[in-house]
Amino acid sequence: MEKRTPAFEYAPAPESRAVVDIAPSYGLFIDGEFTEAADGKVFKTVSPSTEEVLSEVAEAGEADVDRAVKAARKAFEKWSALPGAERAKYLFRIARIIQERSRELAVLETLDNGKPIRETRDADLPLVAAHFFYYAGWADKLDHAGYGANPRPLGVAGQVIPWNFPLLMLAWKIAPALATGNTVVLKPAETTPLSALFFADICRQAGLPRGVVNIVTGDGRAGAALIAHPDVNKVAFTGSTAVGKEIARTVAGTRKKVTLELGGKGANIVFDDAPIDQAVEGIVNGIFFNQGQVCCAGSRLLVQESIHDELLDSLKRRLSTLRLGDPLDKNTDIGAINSAEQLARITALADRGEAEGAERWSPACELPESGYWFAPTLFTGVTQAHTVARDEIFGPVLSVLTFRTPDEAVAKANNTPYGLSAGIWTEKGSRILAVANKLRAGVIWSNTFNKFDPTSPFGGYKESGFGREGGRHGLEAYLDV
Amino acid sequence: MSDRLNVLKTYKLYVGGKFPRSESGRVYEVTDAKKNWLANAPLSSRKDARDAVVAARKAFGGWAGATAYNRGQILYRVAEMLEGRRDQYVREVAEAEGLSKSKAGDQVDAAIDRWVWYAGWTDKIAQVVGGGNPVAGPFFNLSSPEPTGVVAVLAPQESSFLGLVSVVAPVIATGNTAVVVASEKSPLPALSLGEVLATSDLPGGVVNILSGRTAEIAAPLAAHQDVNAIDLAGADEALAKELEIAAADNLKRVLRPQPVDNWSATPGTDRMTAFLETKTVWHPTGSLGASGSAY
């Protein structure tokens, strides 16, 4: 595809880095204090778009995890005994401080994660604040949540979150945990530890009692130690299905309550009567939002055969207008891949798609010289047997399949061990309801995609995990019911 | 007194709406509380377990897709059928658990009432655990519960009938289908329940009942890739852990054994919600113009 000359060139519109002050090093946040790891270990966190080292962060070992759990246990007694209305006010304070500091946090998240400022500013941060605001309101209304009168917190929650939405996943985990009276030890992902550490400072500003929130940075070993810790009462994990299965084995035979939000291979089904332009926007949003590093991404496009060519032409035209580059530029649509490791995984799976005979296409797209980048990529001529139609790629790679009848669409959409999300595009209401009814997925977007809201339960069927986050349903995971 | 010799019943499995013997041809001796022989029960094999899963999967679409009203009618019908055969179950429960006729009668009455209780839940649970979500945007957004699929149910070991009914009814009330492993020591009331289910308009395969060694039958069920959930009520601590580990392989929903002092107590909704998924459907609401309606 030849490079298209846009009608108007965009001038660079970079967001200022001056709003965020990243310290050269950070400790673990335990019992209200920043502290070094017991064995003094540290690791570096880099900016995926430049490979610049942003900071050095303490690497928690088992002793540190134990210290954090002890701090959370100690804090639990008072925190859980606090009247709900008081807990609510702490959470409202946190929500407000996040709103006040949202520009700073958006820039920080963009630097550490590589996602465009447009997304951190317009999607992540508003949702982060909204989650705390929403669950704050539950703290003094738990008797009305439908889990019986006087529902009790579980105790210490051990929470492990991924790198694709570092602060949003923190909010999804911490807000309901605190609202219900639990205390937490949270382990952010190894490649994106910074926003959680900034959140520690927000807890300080909010005057949150010591030990209620503890942040242990480190790699998978710290996460495994946290989940296996005998004094953790509740395990919450968002991440890969493989790790989710390992966690399910670890907690087997214990009394730990567990929720898992795992991988997906979402089908985005486009019927022949769909509004094509809106569908194209939805497809783009479904798979290229956050560089496709989204568990509920619409990574399998199922197009009704009769509109395949027309839709693909529109889609390719639209993809040619996406701007890839500096994530801090407000015009950027597609930022960097989070890490060299993830880039290698995406590259390997895309190469496999090509080797297996699917047809690969990307718009003309210059990739920056430093950092981790992957051009938006389409595969056509994909069958259900292709690896790119089966494995979660977790990157900006869309596999296009076709179908003829609604039944075939449903069968193909459900032909996966995953069951997190799906999309339906059609103008026919009865078809939306019929297809939505038959899809085995926890979230179904009709004539829209990748919409999130704190009031709305989110979570998967089958191997996409169990439990729901968000809404009234999200409370259950943190209550003894 | 007449010297008439009574006719003994050959107890069989209940799978796919039929009453097969175990594929293995094996049986084991079931005795009453005083160790007197009662019957030979089928000693189910791994193959029987797999056959039962196939039957349960086949029945799932129709049962999950039936109206909640219809499911309620059928569950109520089970209670009707049981009521008519109350004496039989009182005798079987008394023998199985070594209870007096009167105590066994209480158990059976509670079990019949439990079917009635769950019959009333089928068309209410969605309203209690689902509903509209007030999202901050122009979207209609609805969460509804859906059955998770095929549920393996290890029936409680001690409460051979009330306990059994208490774990089976909630699973099917919500539209799941079940593969049930009867109490190992006292399987006869469970096997007889199959006869009632078969005459209660319950589609074949919705409930499948196996008897035998719990650990032997449960192992392939916990590891089965086409089983969506497992209720470990009838497993001891060591077995429960082993099965939970096996269940992790395809991320089955696991209901761990819960201590139950008194099966007669009114159950909550937990046994229903444990095997429900929540599906949330979004749709744009559109806009009828900037000013909206002024009435």
Side-chain angles (χ1 to χ4, degrees), chain A residues 185-197:
Chain A
V185 178
L186 177 124
K187 191 201 84 71
E190 191 183 0
T191 60
T192 54
L194 293 183
S195 51
L197 296 167

PDB file of all heavy atoms in Angstrom, chain A residues 185-197:
ATOM      1  N   VAL A 185      -2.442  -5.788  49.882  1.00  0.00           N
ATOM      2  CA  VAL A 185      -1.055  -5.770  49.435  1.00  0.00           C
ATOM      3  C   VAL A 185      -1.141  -5.951  47.928  1.00  0.00           C
ATOM      4  O   VAL A 185      -1.653  -6.957  47.449  1.00  0.00           O
ATOM      5  CB  VAL A 185      -0.228  -6.918  50.052  1.00  0.00           C
ATOM      6  CG1 VAL A 185       1.194  -6.881  49.514  1.00  0.00           C
ATOM      7  CG2 VAL A 185      -0.247  -6.837  51.569  1.00  0.00           C
ATOM      8  N   LEU A 186      -0.670  -4.945  47.196  1.00  0.00           N
ATOM      9  CA  LEU A 186      -0.794  -4.986  45.743  1.00  0.00           C
ATOM     10  C   LEU A 186       0.576  -5.062  45.099  1.00  0.00           C
ATOM     11  O   LEU A 186       1.494  -4.330  45.477  1.00  0.00           O
ATOM     12  CB  LEU A 186      -1.533  -3.740  45.243  1.00  0.00           C
ATOM     13  CG  LEU A 186      -1.652  -3.632  43.718  1.00  0.00           C
ATOM     14  CD1 LEU A 186      -3.107  -3.504  43.305  1.00  0.00           C
ATOM     15  CD2 LEU A 186      -0.866  -2.455  43.172  1.00  0.00           C
ATOM     16  N   LYS A 187       0.683  -5.972  44.138  1.00  0.00           N
ATOM     17  CA  LYS A 187       1.930  -6.044  43.370  1.00  0.00           C
ATOM     18  C   LYS A 187       1.680  -5.586  41.941  1.00  0.00           C
ATOM     19  O   LYS A 187       1.008  -6.264  41.171  1.00  0.00           O
ATOM     20  CB  LYS A 187       2.517  -7.449  43.339  1.00  0.00           C
ATOM     21  CG  LYS A 187       3.943  -7.425  42.776  1.00  0.00           C
ATOM     22  CD  LYS A 187       4.419  -8.742  42.237  1.00  0.00           C
ATOM     23  CE  LYS A 187       3.995  -9.001  40.824  1.00  0.00           C
ATOM     24  NZ  LYS A 187       4.671  -8.183  39.797  1.00  0.00           N
ATOM     25  N   PRO A 188       2.210  -4.423  41.578  1.00  0.00           N
ATOM     26  CA  PRO A 188       2.065  -3.989  40.186  1.00  0.00           C
ATOM     27  C   PRO A 188       3.004  -4.782  39.285  1.00  0.00           C
ATOM     28  O   PRO A 188       3.884  -5.493  39.771  1.00  0.00           O
ATOM     29  CB  PRO A 188       2.471  -2.515  40.232  1.00  0.00           C
ATOM     30  CG  PRO A 188       3.302  -2.347  41.461  1.00  0.00           C
ATOM     31  CD  PRO A 188       2.958  -3.468  42.409  1.00  0.00           C
ATOM     32  N   ALA A 189       2.808  -4.652  37.993  1.00  0.00           N
ATOM     33  CA  ALA A 189       3.641  -5.397  37.050  1.00  0.00           C
ATOM     34  C   ALA A 189       5.066  -4.864  37.066  1.00  0.00           C
ATOM     35  O   ALA A 189       5.311  -3.695  37.353  1.00  0.00           O
ATOM     36  CB  ALA A 189       3.056  -5.304  35.655  1.00  0.00           C
ATOM     37  N   GLU A 190       5.979  -5.744  36.726  1.00  0.00           N
ATOM     38  CA  GLU A 190       7.398  -5.418  36.761  1.00  0.00           C
ATOM     39  C   GLU A 190       7.751  -4.258  35.833  1.00  0.00           C
ATOM     40  O   GLU A 190       8.611  -3.442  36.133  1.00  0.00           O
ATOM     41  CB  GLU A 190       8.153  -6.680  36.315  1.00  0.00           C
ATOM     42  CG  GLU A 190       9.627  -6.639  36.528  1.00  0.00           C
ATOM     43  CD  GLU A 190      10.268  -7.914  35.985  1.00  0.00           C
ATOM     44  OE1 GLU A 190       9.535  -8.778  35.471  1.00  0.00           O
ATOM     45  OE2 GLU A 190      11.497  -8.027  36.083  1.00  0.00           O
ATOM     46  N   THR A 191       7.066  -4.180  34.687  1.00  0.00           N
ATOM     47  CA  THR A 191       7.448  -3.144  33.713  1.00  0.00           C
ATOM     48  C   THR A 191       6.730  -1.822  33.946  1.00  0.00           C
ATOM     49  O   THR A 191       7.066  -0.834  33.310  1.00  0.00           O
ATOM     50  CB  THR A 191       7.169  -3.615  32.270  1.00  0.00           C
ATOM     51  OG1 THR A 191       5.775  -3.895  32.153  1.00  0.00           O
ATOM     52  CG2 THR A 191       7.969  -4.853  31.922  1.00  0.00           C
ATOM     53  N   THR A 192       5.712  -1.811  34.831  1.00  0.00           N
ATOM     54  CA  THR A 192       4.964  -0.564  35.048  1.00  0.00           C
ATOM     55  C   THR A 192       4.691  -0.322  36.538  1.00  0.00           C
ATOM     56  O   THR A 192       3.544  -0.267  36.957  1.00  0.00           O
ATOM     57  CB  THR A 192       3.615  -0.607  34.311  1.00  0.00           C
ATOM     58  OG1 THR A 192       2.921  -1.795  34.723  1.00  0.00           O
ATOM     59  CG2 THR A 192       3.753  -0.599  32.816  1.00  0.00           C
ATOM     60  N   PRO A 193       5.762  -0.155  37.324  1.00  0.00           N
ATOM     61  CA  PRO A 193       5.527  -0.027  38.770  1.00  0.00           C
ATOM     62  C   PRO A 193       5.221   1.398  39.228  1.00  0.00           C
ATOM     63  O   PRO A 193       4.786   1.596  40.366  1.00  0.00           O
ATOM     64  CB  PRO A 193       6.870  -0.484  39.362  1.00  0.00           C
ATOM     65  CG  PRO A 193       7.878  -0.102  38.322  1.00  0.00           C
ATOM     66  CD  PRO A 193       7.186  -0.198  36.991  1.00  0.00           C
ATOM     67  N   LEU A 194       5.475   2.390  38.376  1.00  0.00           N
ATOM     68  CA  LEU A 194       5.545   3.762  38.903  1.00  0.00           C
ATOM     69  C   LEU A 194       4.205   4.329  39.364  1.00  0.00           C
ATOM     70  O   LEU A 194       4.122   4.971  40.404  1.00  0.00           O
ATOM     71  CB  LEU A 194       6.200   4.689  37.871  1.00  0.00           C
ATOM     72  CG  LEU A 194       7.688   4.392  37.615  1.00  0.00           C
ATOM     73  CD1 LEU A 194       8.270   5.409  36.634  1.00  0.00           C
ATOM     74  CD2 LEU A 194       8.486   4.401  38.919  1.00  0.00           C
ATOM     75  N   SER A 195       3.145   4.117  38.576  1.00  0.00           N
ATOM     76  CA  SER A 195       1.889   4.776  38.967  1.00  0.00           C
ATOM     77  C   SER A 195       1.374   4.231  40.297  1.00  0.00           C
ATOM     78  O   SER A 195       0.742   4.959  41.066  1.00  0.00           O
ATOM     79  CB  SER A 195       0.834   4.683  37.864  1.00  0.00           C
ATOM     80  OG  SER A 195       0.683   3.362  37.412  1.00  0.00           O
ATOM     81  N   ALA A 196       1.659   2.959  40.598  1.00  0.00           N
ATOM     82  CA  ALA A 196       1.236   2.414  41.896  1.00  0.00           C
ATOM     83  C   ALA A 196       1.995   3.104  43.028  1.00  0.00           C
ATOM     84  O   ALA A 196       1.453   3.337  44.104  1.00  0.00           O
ATOM     85  CB  ALA A 196       1.470   0.910  41.938  1.00  0.00           C
ATOM     86  N   LEU A 197       3.256   3.424  42.766  1.00  0.00           N
ATOM     87  CA  LEU A 197       4.045   4.100  43.798  1.00  0.00           C
ATOM     88  C   LEU A 197       3.579   5.544  43.963  1.00  0.00           C
ATOM     89  O   LEU A 197       3.593   6.085  45.070  1.00  0.00           O
ATOM     90  CB  LEU A 197       5.528   4.019  43.444  1.00  0.00           C
ATOM     91  CG  LEU A 197       6.051   2.571  43.444  1.00  0.00           C
ATOM     92  CD1 LEU A 197       7.419   2.470  42.803  1.00  0.00           C
ATOM     93  CD2 LEU A 197       6.085   2.005  44.860  1.00  0.00           C
TER      94      LEU A 197
END
